[in-house]
Amino acid sequence: MIVMHITDVKYYGICLKFQFQSIYIIWILDEVDTVLLDEQSKIIGFKTVDELHVFLEKNNMQLTDEVSCVDVGKVQRWIVSPNKNIDYLTFLDTWNLFIDISESLNIAYLGDKKGAVRNSVYNKLFDRAGPFITQDSSAIFNEKEIVVLAKIMENGFDLLLNNLSITVKPVLP
């Protein structure tokens, strides 16, 4: 018996909200989640949602849903002075986006490097960001975990910002 796998690729617009500007990228839901890259293996970014839509139209692509936003600026501001005041959902969304960026670029990301402290940090984000938020005091980050979280997020921003190509005029991927 031959088993065929039919993939149903879906495109999503993601607005990355920085402190003074937003950048729009295309996230691809497939067997492995990725972001759209150009021919130089850079993340295709747009300054406006209109530019994103023009690109999609010219390339016969359609978004599966409305553009969603991640307040990455909140994470950047936290990195400047890491502390226990963490927006768990925003950090989890940002971490997961960095994983997909890493996968797209085929570049290692600290957030993917399994280890006891890394796993604890991710699990706490996951537990506190989900619908079953725990009030367990063990879900609070200790100093070592805060340092690890800061390093993981810094590494993710390095991956994103060092591999981002802002498109003014839409081009074919």
Side-chain angles (χ1 to χ4, degrees):
M1 179 167 117
I2 298 175
V3 177
M4 293 178 54
H5 178 75
I6 299 174
T7 183
D8 185 21
V9 177
K10 296 182 179 175
Y11 300 100
Y12 294 86
I14 305 290
C15 172
L16 304 175
K17 292 176 73 173
F18 292 91
Q19 186 166 357
F20 298 109
Q21 181 173 354
S22 293
I23 301 294
Y24 298 84
I25 63 173
I26 299 171
W27 181 68
I28 304 168
L29 177 64
D30 199 2
E31 288 182 46
V32 176
D33 299 337
T34 57
V35 296
L36 190 64
L37 304 178
D38 65 14
E39 55 276 347
Q40 286 82 38
S41 297
K42 297 290 185 182
I43 302 162
I44 300 174
F46 307 92
K47 290 183 179 182
T48 68
V49 72
D50 290 337
E51 291 175 2
L52 168 72
H53 286 294
V54 167
F55 176 88
L56 291 165
E57 187 175 315
K58 287 191 177 213
N59 290 283
N60 295 318
M61 300 165 72
Q62 189 171 7
L63 294 182
T64 302
D65 205 350
E66 296 293 318
V67 174
S68 61
C69 290
V70 179
D71 190 354
V72 295
K74 185 182 289 186
V75 179
Q76 281 186 311
R77 289 186 298 279
W78 179 88
I79 289 172
V80 173
S81 182
N83 58 68
K84 293 182 181 184
N85 185 19
I86 296 168
D87 179 330
Y88 293 90
L89 182 57
T90 298
F91 275 68
L92 182 64
D93 287 345
T94 302
W95 185 323
N96 287 332
L97 179 62
F98 290 156
I99 288 171
D100 297 341
I101 288 170
S102 166
E103 183 68 36
S104 304
L105 299 168
N106 198 25
I107 298 175
Y109 169 50
L110 286 177
D112 266 345
K113 189 175 179 182
K114 306 289 193 251
V117 177
R118 176 266 181 216
N119 294 350
S120 175
V121 170
Y122 187 86
N123 290 339
K124 287 178 182 182
L125 287 176
F126 186 84
D127 290 345
R128 297 290 302 266
F132 306 108
I133 298 173
T134 177
Q135 296 303 320
D136 182 359
S137 62
S138 66
I140 303 299
F141 288 97
N142 63 41
E143 292 303 316
K144 184 174 185 175
E145 291 169 331
I146 288 172
V147 168
V148 168
L149 179 57
K151 286 181 182 177
I152 287 169
M153 291 297 160
E154 285 177 28
N155 179 239
F157 278 109
D158 286 345
L159 284 175
L160 169 64
L161 298 174
N162 290 329
N163 293 287
L164 182 63
S165 175
I166 304 299
T167 303
V168 177
K169 293 181 181 177
V171 295
L172 295 174

